[in-house]
């Protein structure tokens, strides 16, 4: 069977039993359909050729997936130690929140299998935390939605155009549209995850007024650069004043861009 034109021919003959689709980066291929998480979600591995080597990555999926489950893979935690050990066992590294690996082209299939294996293994780290408990801010959001008599789904699965998935905090049946809401606590991991969610749901054809990022605290407690990045992809509201959230969802009132 002829390989799709978007697949480097040096990779095509070495990647068997995977469904191939173009990834967002030119020359990269998204591989799906061979491995699955315990809950049925598919595993997606990104791969491309660079010179005489194959480069593969999880695209940052696992850091976000584990963060959603309350697992911190940074700092001095048991999960962080296990994360590092798993990647070392698979001869992979973590770079900018992504599981990545580099091997000769002849080892491309093994590299992709190792990235998928690392994704499945690190997914087990979610069992190192206790039963999931929603943060206070998530609980406040759900109470607001209940009080406003808005129908919503908790942590819905949103399918992206090329097969991957994202799970925001809520999907709300707002005034004249569906809105995906992502809650974020303080710190770089929180804002990076919120930004990643906003960027990904944008690719799922949710318009700007169909996205909402809810941050803990006030505008003064967040770095201006972080707010600018988030506001480029989503309206941004703060837990210290939830009225704009209700106005946005119930009456379609625009949320002003945050400024310090």
């Amino acid at each position: 069977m002829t390989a799709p034109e978007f697949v480097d021919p040096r990779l095509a003959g070495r990647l068997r039993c995977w469904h191939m689709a173009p990834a967002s980066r030119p020359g990269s291929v998204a591989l799906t359909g061979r491995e699955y998480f315990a809950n049925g979600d598919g595993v997606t591995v990104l791969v491309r050729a660079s010179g005489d080597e194959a480069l593969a990555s999880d695209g940052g999926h696992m850091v976000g997936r584990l963060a959603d489950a309350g697992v911190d893979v940074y700092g001095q935690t048991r999960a962080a130690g296990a994360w590092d050990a798993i990647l070392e066992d698979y001869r992979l590294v973590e770079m900018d929140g992504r599981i990545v690996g580099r091997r000769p082209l002849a080892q491309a299939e093994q590299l992709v299998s190792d990235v998928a294996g690392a994704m499945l293994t690190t997914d087990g780290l979610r069992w190192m935390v206790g039963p999931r408990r929603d943060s206070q801010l998530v609980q406040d959001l759900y109470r607001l939605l209940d009080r406003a008599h808005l129908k919503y789904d908790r942590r819905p699965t949103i399918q992206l155009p090329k097969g991957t998935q994202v799970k925001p905090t809520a999907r709300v049946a707002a005034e004249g549209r569906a809105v995906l809401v992502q809650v974020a606590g303080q710190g770089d991991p929180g804002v990076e995850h919120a930004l990643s969610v906003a960027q990904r749901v944008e690719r799922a054809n949710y318009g700007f007024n169909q996205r909402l990022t809810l941050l803990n605290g006030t505008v003064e407690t967040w770095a201006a650069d972080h707010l600018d990045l988030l506001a480029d992809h989503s309206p941004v509201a703060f837990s210290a004043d939830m009225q704009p959230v209700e106005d946005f969802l119930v009456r379609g009132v625009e949320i002003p861009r945050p400024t310090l």
Side-chain angles (χ1 to χ4, degrees), residues 3-20:
E5 61 180 12
F6 57 82
V7 182
D8 189 305
R10 297 173 297 168
L11 287 174
R14 295 183 169 94
L15 301 174
R16 301 176 178 85
C17 303
W18 290 92
H19 298 306
M20 301 183 184

Side-chain angles (χ1 to χ4, degrees), residues 7 77 119 248:
V7 182
T77 66
M119 293 173 70
F248 177 74

Side-chain angles (χ1 to χ4, degrees), residues 20 31 40 46-47 66 68 79 81 86 91 134 145 148 165 168-169 190 193 200-201 211-213 225 249:
M20 301 183 184
L31 305 176
L46 306 179
V47 64
L66 290 171
D68 279 342
I86 291 167
R91 296 190 298 138
D134 289 323
L145 298 175
Q165 298 173 333
T169 307
H193 182 52
R200 284 184 284 170
V201 299
R211 307 170 228 147
L212 176 61
T213 301
D225 286 330
L249 296 174

Side-chain angles (χ1 to χ4, degrees), residues 1-46:
M1 184 175 65
T2 304
E5 61 180 12
F6 57 82
V7 182
D8 189 305
R10 297 173 297 168
L11 287 174
R14 295 183 169 94
L15 301 174
R16 301 176 178 85
C17 303
W18 290 92
H19 298 306
M20 301 183 184
S24 56
R25 178 172 180 171
S28 292
V29 182
L31 305 176
T32 58
R34 182 169 168 178
E35 304 285 358
Y36 296 87
F37 294 107
N39 66 352
D41 290 347
V43 170
T44 299
V45 179
L46 306 179

Side-chain angles (χ1 to χ4, degrees), residues 162-174:
K162 295 177 181 177
T164 54
Q165 298 173 333
V166 62
K167 292 188 175 185
T169 307
R171 176 173 49 206
V172 183

Side-chain angles (χ1 to χ4, degrees), residues 48-256:
R48 64 185 177 91
S50 176
D52 294 327
E53 294 183 310
L55 307 180
S57 165
D58 76 327
H61 180 70
M62 291 313 303
V63 167
R65 183 178 173 89
L66 290 171
D68 279 342
V71 179
D72 179 12
V73 297
Y74 302 106
Q76 303 298 315
T77 66
R78 288 176 56 217
W83 168 270
D84 291 339
I86 291 167
L87 298 191
E88 184 177 356
D89 286 345
Y90 280 98
R91 296 190 298 138
L92 303 169
V93 297
E94 185 261 322
M95 184 179 298
D96 297 328
R98 296 172 294 123
I99 297 174
V100 298
R102 177 191 296 263
R103 309 268 174 84
L105 279 169
Q107 300 176 22
E109 185 171 16
Q110 184 60 54
L111 172 61
V112 170
S113 294
D114 284 348
V115 172
M119 293 173 70
L120 292 170
T121 306
T122 55
D123 194 54
L125 297 179
R126 63 179 57 236
W127 306 117
M128 295 181 69
V129 299
R132 184 185 183 97
R133 295 181 180 178
D134 289 323
S135 68
Q136 184 62 53
L137 181 51
V138 171
Q139 294 179 46
D140 290 345
L141 170 65
Y142 292 154
R143 278 195 290 268
L144 180 151
L145 298 175
D146 289 334
R147 186 176 65 249
H149 305 292
L150 290 168
K151 294 182 179 179
Y152 62 96
D153 299 317
R154 300 187 182 203
R155 306 192 186 280
T157 298
I158 306 301
Q159 196 78 21
L160 272 61
K162 295 177 181 177
T164 54
Q165 298 173 333
V166 62
K167 292 188 175 185
T169 307
R171 176 173 49 206
V172 183
E175 175 62 29
R177 70 218 190 274
V179 175
L180 300 181
V181 183
Q182 179 61 40
V183 165
Q186 296 287 359
D188 288 351
V191 75
E192 288 168 2
H193 182 52
L195 178 61
S196 173
V197 170
Q199 291 173 323
R200 284 184 284 170
V201 299
E202 182 176 358
R203 297 190 66 247
N205 295 320
Y206 280 81
F208 190 80
N209 74 334
Q210 292 183 277
R211 307 170 228 147
L212 176 61
T213 301
L214 178 58
L215 302 180
N216 195 33
T218 66
V219 64
E220 291 81 11
T221 59
W222 290 84
D225 286 330
H226 289 169
L227 295 180
D228 280 344
L229 281 171
L230 281 169
D232 285 342
H233 298 277
S234 165
V236 178
F238 300 89
S239 65
D241 182 7
M242 298 285 276
Q243 189 60 50
V245 177
E246 183 171 348
D247 292 341
F248 177 74
L249 296 174
V250 176
R251 289 172 283 280
V253 177
E254 181 179 346
I255 297 177

